[in-house]
Amino acid sequence: MSLTADEVRKIAYLARLAIREADVPAYSRNLSAILEFVEQMNAVDTLGVEPMAHPLRSVQRLRPDEVNEHNQREQFLAMAPQTEAGLYLVPKVIE
Amino acid sequence: MHNYTLAQLAAGLRAGEFSSEELTRTCLARIERFNPALNAFITVIPERALDQAKAADQRIRAGEGGPLTGVPIAHKDIFCTQGVRTSCGSRMLDNFIAPYDATVVEKCDAAGLVMVGKTNMDEFAMGSSNETSCYGPVKNPWDLTAVPGGSSGGSAAAVAARLVPAATGTDTGGSIRQPAALCGVTGLKPTYGRVSRWGMIAYASSLDQGGALARSAEDVALVLQVMAGFDPRDSTSVDQEAPDYQAALDDSIAGVRIGLPREYFGDGLAAEVVECVQEAVAEYRRLGAEVMEISMPNTRLAVPAYYVVAPAECSSNLARYDGVRYGYRCQDPQDLLDLYTRSRGEAFGAEVKRRILVGTYALSAGYYDAYYLKAQQIRRLISDDYQRAFAEVDLILGPTSPTVAFNLGEKTGDPVTMYLSDIYTIPVNLAGLPGLSIPVGFVKGRPVGMQLVGNYFSEARLLNAAHRYQQVTDWHARAPAGF
């Protein structure tokens, strides 16, 4: 499997990751090498093997629906790059 | 004082031979002196550490101290620490002051351990050499031209250079065990779910597990005792009480069955590393263990499967870094898309970007079955290999990494070659098992690590087997020259 420059740009867009145009060939090369390496998996037949998503067969625990955290809005907003009137600010989204 | 083990330091503090303040000052002075050469710490917090030390001294004087009260420790900079920068080795979080403590940090604080600082690491724990940190590489104390391993490279180097008696680490594909091996210290990755992941910045959530690095198995046991246990805030934390990890340390290992997977002694493994590991096997035979060859036929598929599962989980975990709520934001974004893409593009390093891209590709429409599903099926085969092996043996033994520490810059140009340095550690994470690395010799002055793997929740047995070996050998007690 080798990834073309266009495919690299498309994946980068999907991942919302700006990559420099000059770096596209290197990403194309490196990602192709990684995918080629990963495709060694195809050497083994896994038909009927149950996928393992998680090491432990754990079930999601439930807890009583009780308030266990206090509002820390000010503290969290203080970490944000830009806020106003208790809101996070981003560039204009709606025209 | 810095040559004492953690167990000796804890005993000295309790006996009043020295105070936590004196001990903490010693550690801080050593960090100040040696960190410029090693770059093992991203953040050092002398004032806070001395406050904690004085509080510990009061507790000890009042007879209220626990076993480790007053002992200094360093936390990998992946554990959130309230009021102290938690960077994860990334420009993305260079300005991030965590608003809460990780459970691990909270537990260490409650035990009276003194946090002296945050250790350097590969960016978001993605790397095997500590060269992907945005704060620059850590140097190996045994040879400053060599890498310390990664991603917990700062923790391993800080312990090896005796800047701190112990440090926390995290291990997703070998990030505690491989740097422990390359720096000649003891490092344990517990069973998945044994140590809380709450407040531990996520890389690949089904593989990430916190653990400890120290100079001996006994010291690791002491730290694990503090870290381990159920945490309702981590949905994958195991609701099972941690046993007493010291209780079984001295047990005889006569009759313990140790399996050597023939696949762990194959291609790509340095001959000198094999010699050291075989010498350790002979030592185990002398201690009465029964050693037998076993087979783990799917071992070679582990690294390929890992480089689908881990990047897939990484691509979704790291989607949270959007330049909106915290972390890095680019200058003058034109619109929301520009804000997202440029903030992420400017703040993530090359290896993190590669893994996000591989993961995004593997999870994208039309490729899911070929990559992600296939990798999860292989994960099952690898886990089955272990369970078959544990029907015959109690422990699995092999090298931790195929070579000793490589030179700085040696593998940075070729990601796949770098990935293969975790060939023996990755399968353990895929299965969620506990694994431990201990030093078993040197090749041209660089340490060799040996890995022991046990079945789920067998940490006490792993520590016991490592401790018994360390009672009859002194590899773990050697110190790098110049520190």
Side-chain angles (χ1 to χ4, degrees), chain B residues 24-55:
Chain B
T24 302
R25 284 190 194 281
T26 302
C27 286
L28 289 169
R30 287 182 61 78
I31 293 169
E32 196 181 346
R33 179 166 165 212
F34 294 115
N35 197 52
L38 292 172
N39 199 27
F41 282 85
I42 292 173
T43 304
V44 186
I45 43 170
E47 284 171 27
R48 187 176 154 133
L50 288 169
D51 285 347
Q52 255 188 326
K54 287 171 195 162

mmCIF file of all heavy atoms in Angstrom, chain B residues 24-55:
data_model
loop_
_atom_site.group_PDB
_atom_site.id
_atom_site.type_symbol
_atom_site.label_atom_id
_atom_site.label_comp_id
_atom_site.label_asym_id
_atom_site.label_seq_id
_atom_site.Cartn_x
_atom_site.Cartn_y
_atom_site.Cartn_z
ATOM 1 N N THR B 24 15.303 15.757 50.378
ATOM 2 C CA THR B 24 14.742 16.465 49.231
ATOM 3 C C THR B 24 15.749 17.490 48.698
ATOM 4 O O THR B 24 15.927 17.638 47.481
ATOM 5 C CB THR B 24 13.408 17.124 49.624
ATOM 6 O OG1 THR B 24 12.530 16.105 50.090
ATOM 7 C CG2 THR B 24 12.772 17.841 48.440
ATOM 8 N N ARG B 25 16.427 18.179 49.612
ATOM 9 C CA ARG B 25 17.458 19.142 49.182
ATOM 10 C C ARG B 25 18.579 18.441 48.412
ATOM 11 O O ARG B 25 19.108 18.964 47.431
ATOM 12 C CB ARG B 25 18.049 19.896 50.383
ATOM 13 C CG ARG B 25 17.126 20.978 50.912
ATOM 14 C CD ARG B 25 17.827 21.870 51.947
ATOM 15 N NE ARG B 25 16.867 22.688 52.674
ATOM 16 C CZ ARG B 25 16.315 23.813 52.193
ATOM 17 N NH1 ARG B 25 16.663 24.257 50.985
ATOM 18 N NH2 ARG B 25 15.437 24.481 52.899
ATOM 19 N N THR B 26 18.933 17.231 48.866
ATOM 20 C CA THR B 26 19.964 16.457 48.163
ATOM 21 C C THR B 26 19.516 16.152 46.738
ATOM 22 O O THR B 26 20.267 16.344 45.777
ATOM 23 C CB THR B 26 20.249 15.129 48.912
ATOM 24 O OG1 THR B 26 20.642 15.443 50.236
ATOM 25 C CG2 THR B 26 21.342 14.329 48.222
ATOM 26 N N CYS B 27 18.280 15.681 46.592
ATOM 27 C CA CYS B 27 17.754 15.359 45.262
ATOM 28 C C CYS B 27 17.711 16.616 44.388
ATOM 29 O O CYS B 27 18.121 16.590 43.228
ATOM 30 C CB CYS B 27 16.352 14.761 45.356
ATOM 31 S SG CYS B 27 16.341 13.074 45.955
ATOM 32 N N LEU B 28 17.204 17.708 44.951
ATOM 33 C CA LEU B 28 17.084 18.942 44.167
ATOM 34 C C LEU B 28 18.469 19.437 43.726
ATOM 35 O O LEU B 28 18.636 19.901 42.594
ATOM 36 C CB LEU B 28 16.370 20.026 44.990
ATOM 37 C CG LEU B 28 14.870 19.783 45.230
ATOM 38 C CD1 LEU B 28 14.336 20.760 46.272
ATOM 39 C CD2 LEU B 28 14.076 19.919 43.927
ATOM 40 N N ALA B 29 19.457 19.306 44.627
ATOM 41 C CA ALA B 29 20.814 19.739 44.278
ATOM 42 C C ALA B 29 21.375 18.869 43.154
ATOM 43 O O ALA B 29 22.053 19.362 42.241
ATOM 44 C CB ALA B 29 21.719 19.672 45.508
ATOM 45 N N ARG B 30 21.092 17.585 43.215
ATOM 46 C CA ARG B 30 21.582 16.686 42.157
ATOM 47 C C ARG B 30 20.880 16.973 40.824
ATOM 48 O O ARG B 30 21.493 16.912 39.761
ATOM 49 C CB ARG B 30 21.397 15.215 42.572
ATOM 50 C CG ARG B 30 22.380 14.791 43.649
ATOM 51 C CD ARG B 30 22.231 13.330 44.011
ATOM 52 N NE ARG B 30 22.485 12.428 42.883
ATOM 53 C CZ ARG B 30 23.690 12.114 42.436
ATOM 54 N NH1 ARG B 30 24.773 12.632 42.989
ATOM 55 N NH2 ARG B 30 23.827 11.284 41.411
ATOM 56 N N ILE B 31 19.594 17.272 40.895
ATOM 57 C CA ILE B 31 18.869 17.607 39.665
ATOM 58 C C ILE B 31 19.473 18.876 39.059
ATOM 59 O O ILE B 31 19.747 18.949 37.860
ATOM 60 C CB ILE B 31 17.359 17.803 39.953
ATOM 61 C CG1 ILE B 31 16.723 16.473 40.362
ATOM 62 C CG2 ILE B 31 16.651 18.369 38.725
ATOM 63 C CD1 ILE B 31 15.313 16.604 40.925
ATOM 64 N N GLU B 32 19.726 19.872 39.918
ATOM 65 C CA GLU B 32 20.282 21.126 39.427
ATOM 66 C C GLU B 32 21.646 20.902 38.777
ATOM 67 O O GLU B 32 21.967 21.487 37.747
ATOM 68 C CB GLU B 32 20.394 22.115 40.599
ATOM 69 C CG GLU B 32 20.582 23.544 40.123
ATOM 70 C CD GLU B 32 20.708 24.521 41.283
ATOM 71 O OE1 GLU B 32 20.398 24.158 42.440
ATOM 72 O OE2 GLU B 32 21.130 25.655 41.018
ATOM 73 N N ARG B 33 22.420 20.003 39.379
ATOM 74 C CA ARG B 33 23.775 19.759 38.889
ATOM 75 C C ARG B 33 23.788 18.929 37.603
ATOM 76 O O ARG B 33 24.549 19.214 36.685
ATOM 77 C CB ARG B 33 24.556 19.039 39.992
ATOM 78 C CG ARG B 33 25.965 18.705 39.607
ATOM 79 C CD ARG B 33 26.774 18.304 40.832
ATOM 80 N NE ARG B 33 28.004 17.656 40.391
ATOM 81 C CZ ARG B 33 28.614 16.689 41.071
ATOM 82 N NH1 ARG B 33 28.110 16.281 42.218
ATOM 83 N NH2 ARG B 33 29.713 16.153 40.615
ATOM 84 N N PHE B 34 22.959 17.891 37.559
ATOM 85 C CA PHE B 34 23.074 16.940 36.446
ATOM 86 C C PHE B 34 22.021 17.104 35.353
ATOM 87 O O PHE B 34 22.199 16.589 34.243
ATOM 88 C CB PHE B 34 23.037 15.500 36.978
ATOM 89 C CG PHE B 34 24.222 15.159 37.828
ATOM 90 C CD1 PHE B 34 24.073 14.879 39.176
ATOM 91 C CD2 PHE B 34 25.497 15.143 37.276
ATOM 92 C CE1 PHE B 34 25.175 14.572 39.969
ATOM 93 C CE2 PHE B 34 26.609 14.826 38.049
ATOM 94 C CZ PHE B 34 26.449 14.549 39.402
ATOM 95 N N ASN B 35 20.915 17.776 35.659
ATOM 96 C CA ASN B 35 19.880 17.846 34.638
ATOM 97 C C ASN B 35 20.308 18.581 33.358
ATOM 98 O O ASN B 35 19.866 18.200 32.279
ATOM 99 C CB ASN B 35 18.574 18.428 35.185
ATOM 100 C CG ASN B 35 17.407 18.125 34.277
ATOM 101 O OD1 ASN B 35 17.183 16.976 33.911
ATOM 102 N ND2 ASN B 35 16.700 19.156 33.857
ATOM 103 N N PRO B 36 21.153 19.608 33.466
ATOM 104 C CA PRO B 36 21.567 20.246 32.206
ATOM 105 C C PRO B 36 22.179 19.248 31.211
ATOM 106 O O PRO B 36 21.969 19.375 30.007
ATOM 107 C CB PRO B 36 22.588 21.285 32.671
ATOM 108 C CG PRO B 36 22.167 21.627 34.060
ATOM 109 C CD PRO B 36 21.650 20.335 34.646
ATOM 110 N N ALA B 37 22.893 18.249 31.705
ATOM 111 C CA ALA B 37 23.497 17.255 30.807
ATOM 112 C C ALA B 37 22.482 16.189 30.373
ATOM 113 O O ALA B 37 22.552 15.679 29.259
ATOM 114 C CB ALA B 37 24.682 16.578 31.484
ATOM 115 N N LEU B 38 21.527 15.866 31.247
ATOM 116 C CA LEU B 38 20.622 14.746 30.971
ATOM 117 C C LEU B 38 19.297 15.171 30.339
ATOM 118 O O LEU B 38 18.705 14.415 29.581
ATOM 119 C CB LEU B 38 20.306 13.987 32.274
ATOM 120 C CG LEU B 38 21.452 13.220 32.921
ATOM 121 C CD1 LEU B 38 21.023 12.698 34.292
ATOM 122 C CD2 LEU B 38 21.874 12.048 32.022
ATOM 123 N N ASN B 39 18.811 16.374 30.707
ATOM 124 C CA ASN B 39 17.509 16.841 30.232
ATOM 125 C C ASN B 39 16.381 15.885 30.628
ATOM 126 O O ASN B 39 15.431 15.666 29.870
ATOM 127 C CB ASN B 39 17.534 17.030 28.707
ATOM 128 C CG ASN B 39 16.420 17.926 28.214
ATOM 129 O OD1 ASN B 39 15.935 18.780 28.939
ATOM 130 N ND2 ASN B 39 15.995 17.716 26.962
ATOM 131 N N ALA B 40 16.524 15.304 31.821
ATOM 132 C CA ALA B 40 15.541 14.316 32.281
ATOM 133 C C ALA B 40 14.273 14.971 32.823
ATOM 134 O O ALA B 40 13.227 14.336 32.886
ATOM 135 C CB ALA B 40 16.155 13.417 33.354
ATOM 136 N N PHE B 41 14.377 16.219 33.246
ATOM 137 C CA PHE B 41 13.214 16.920 33.809
ATOM 138 C C PHE B 41 12.747 18.038 32.886
ATOM 139 O O PHE B 41 13.549 18.787 32.352
ATOM 140 C CB PHE B 41 13.563 17.534 35.175
ATOM 141 C CG PHE B 41 13.568 16.540 36.297
ATOM 142 C CD1 PHE B 41 14.702 15.775 36.558
ATOM 143 C CD2 PHE B 41 12.442 16.349 37.076
ATOM 144 C CE1 PHE B 41 14.712 14.843 37.587
ATOM 145 C CE2 PHE B 41 12.440 15.419 38.108
ATOM 146 C CZ PHE B 41 13.571 14.665 38.368
ATOM 147 N N ILE B 42 11.428 18.151 32.753
ATOM 148 C CA ILE B 42 10.842 19.286 32.041
ATOM 149 C C ILE B 42 10.582 20.413 33.047
ATOM 150 O O ILE B 42 10.820 21.574 32.766
ATOM 151 C CB ILE B 42 9.535 18.867 31.332
ATOM 152 C CG1 ILE B 42 9.846 17.901 30.180
ATOM 153 C CG2 ILE B 42 8.779 20.096 30.821
ATOM 154 C CD1 ILE B 42 8.612 17.286 29.514
ATOM 155 N N THR B 43 10.108 20.033 34.228
ATOM 156 C CA THR B 43 9.780 21.025 35.257
ATOM 157 C C THR B 43 10.311 20.534 36.597
ATOM 158 O O THR B 43 10.123 19.367 36.954
ATOM 159 C CB THR B 43 8.236 21.201 35.352
ATOM 160 O OG1 THR B 43 7.739 21.545 34.058
ATOM 161 C CG2 THR B 43 7.867 22.292 36.336
ATOM 162 N N VAL B 44 10.990 21.413 37.329
ATOM 163 C CA VAL B 44 11.445 21.099 38.683
ATOM 164 C C VAL B 44 10.748 22.086 39.611
ATOM 165 O O VAL B 44 10.615 23.269 39.281
ATOM 166 C CB VAL B 44 12.980 21.219 38.805
ATOM 167 C CG1 VAL B 44 13.456 20.756 40.170
ATOM 168 C CG2 VAL B 44 13.662 20.404 37.707
ATOM 169 N N ILE B 45 10.267 21.608 40.742
ATOM 170 C CA ILE B 45 9.452 22.462 41.627
ATOM 171 C C ILE B 45 10.042 22.491 43.039
ATOM 172 O O ILE B 45 9.452 21.945 43.985
ATOM 173 C CB ILE B 45 7.985 21.968 41.645
ATOM 174 C CG1 ILE B 45 7.923 20.430 41.747
ATOM 175 C CG2 ILE B 45 7.243 22.424 40.405
ATOM 176 C CD1 ILE B 45 6.520 19.909 42.000
ATOM 177 N N PRO B 46 11.199 23.168 43.200
ATOM 178 C CA PRO B 46 11.904 23.125 44.495
ATOM 179 C C PRO B 46 11.066 23.620 45.664
ATOM 180 O O PRO B 46 11.019 22.957 46.715
ATOM 181 C CB PRO B 46 13.114 24.048 44.278
ATOM 182 C CG PRO B 46 13.243 24.215 42.802
ATOM 183 C CD PRO B 46 11.883 24.018 42.227
ATOM 184 N N GLU B 47 10.369 24.756 45.491
ATOM 185 C CA GLU B 47 9.654 25.324 46.644
ATOM 186 C C GLU B 47 8.535 24.404 47.110
ATOM 187 O O GLU B 47 8.385 24.132 48.292
ATOM 188 C CB GLU B 47 9.075 26.697 46.285
ATOM 189 C CG GLU B 47 10.143 27.767 46.268
ATOM 190 C CD GLU B 47 9.636 29.077 45.700
ATOM 191 O OE1 GLU B 47 8.416 29.336 45.788
ATOM 192 O OE2 GLU B 47 10.472 29.829 45.162
ATOM 193 N N ARG B 48 7.763 23.947 46.130
ATOM 194 C CA ARG B 48 6.650 23.060 46.453
ATOM 195 C C ARG B 48 7.164 21.763 47.078
ATOM 196 O O ARG B 48 6.591 21.236 48.027
ATOM 197 C CB ARG B 48 5.880 22.773 45.165
ATOM 198 C CG ARG B 48 4.611 22.019 45.366
ATOM 199 C CD ARG B 48 3.910 21.892 44.035
ATOM 200 N NE ARG B 48 3.058 20.715 44.032
ATOM 201 C CZ ARG B 48 1.814 20.701 43.608
ATOM 202 N NH1 ARG B 48 1.281 21.794 43.120
ATOM 203 N NH2 ARG B 48 1.109 19.595 43.641
ATOM 204 N N ALA B 49 8.283 21.245 46.525
ATOM 205 C CA ALA B 49 8.854 20.004 47.048
ATOM 206 C C ALA B 49 9.292 20.196 48.501
ATOM 207 O O ALA B 49 9.040 19.338 49.358
ATOM 208 C CB ALA B 49 10.035 19.566 46.184
ATOM 209 N N LEU B 50 9.937 21.331 48.782
ATOM 210 C CA LEU B 50 10.410 21.551 50.156
ATOM 211 C C LEU B 50 9.240 21.735 51.126
ATOM 212 O O LEU B 50 9.309 21.273 52.268
ATOM 213 C CB LEU B 50 11.375 22.742 50.205
ATOM 214 C CG LEU B 50 12.735 22.433 49.559
ATOM 215 C CD1 LEU B 50 13.568 23.695 49.391
ATOM 216 C CD2 LEU B 50 13.509 21.387 50.377
ATOM 217 N N ASP B 51 8.155 22.361 50.659
ATOM 218 C CA ASP B 51 6.958 22.461 51.505
ATOM 219 C C ASP B 51 6.415 21.075 51.819
ATOM 220 O O ASP B 51 6.064 20.774 52.964
ATOM 221 C CB ASP B 51 5.859 23.278 50.792
ATOM 222 C CG ASP B 51 6.168 24.770 50.809
ATOM 223 O OD1 ASP B 51 7.083 25.168 51.568
ATOM 224 O OD2 ASP B 51 5.524 25.521 50.062
ATOM 225 N N GLN B 52 6.355 20.236 50.767
ATOM 226 C CA GLN B 52 5.853 18.870 50.967
ATOM 227 C C GLN B 52 6.779 18.096 51.915
ATOM 228 O O GLN B 52 6.323 17.316 52.745
ATOM 229 C CB GLN B 52 5.785 18.137 49.617
ATOM 230 C CG GLN B 52 4.376 17.975 49.068
ATOM 231 C CD GLN B 52 4.348 17.066 47.838
ATOM 232 O OE1 GLN B 52 5.288 17.050 47.044
ATOM 233 N NE2 GLN B 52 3.280 16.319 47.677
ATOM 234 N N ALA B 53 8.090 18.326 51.756
ATOM 235 C CA ALA B 53 9.071 17.621 52.598
ATOM 236 C C ALA B 53 8.912 18.027 54.059
ATOM 237 O O ALA B 53 8.946 17.177 54.961
ATOM 238 C CB ALA B 53 10.488 17.924 52.107
ATOM 239 N N LYS B 54 8.725 19.333 54.291
ATOM 240 C CA LYS B 54 8.564 19.796 55.680
ATOM 241 C C LYS B 54 7.283 19.215 56.292
ATOM 242 O O LYS B 54 7.270 18.816 57.461
ATOM 243 C CB LYS B 54 8.536 21.332 55.732
ATOM 244 C CG LYS B 54 9.916 21.933 55.483
ATOM 245 C CD LYS B 54 9.845 23.451 55.316
ATOM 246 C CE LYS B 54 11.133 23.977 54.701
ATOM 247 N NZ LYS B 54 10.963 25.328 54.133
ATOM 248 N N ALA B 55 6.234 19.158 55.483
ATOM 249 C CA ALA B 55 4.985 18.567 55.972
ATOM 250 C C ALA B 55 5.192 17.087 56.284
ATOM 251 O O ALA B 55 4.666 16.566 57.280
ATOM 252 C CB ALA B 55 3.878 18.750 54.936
#
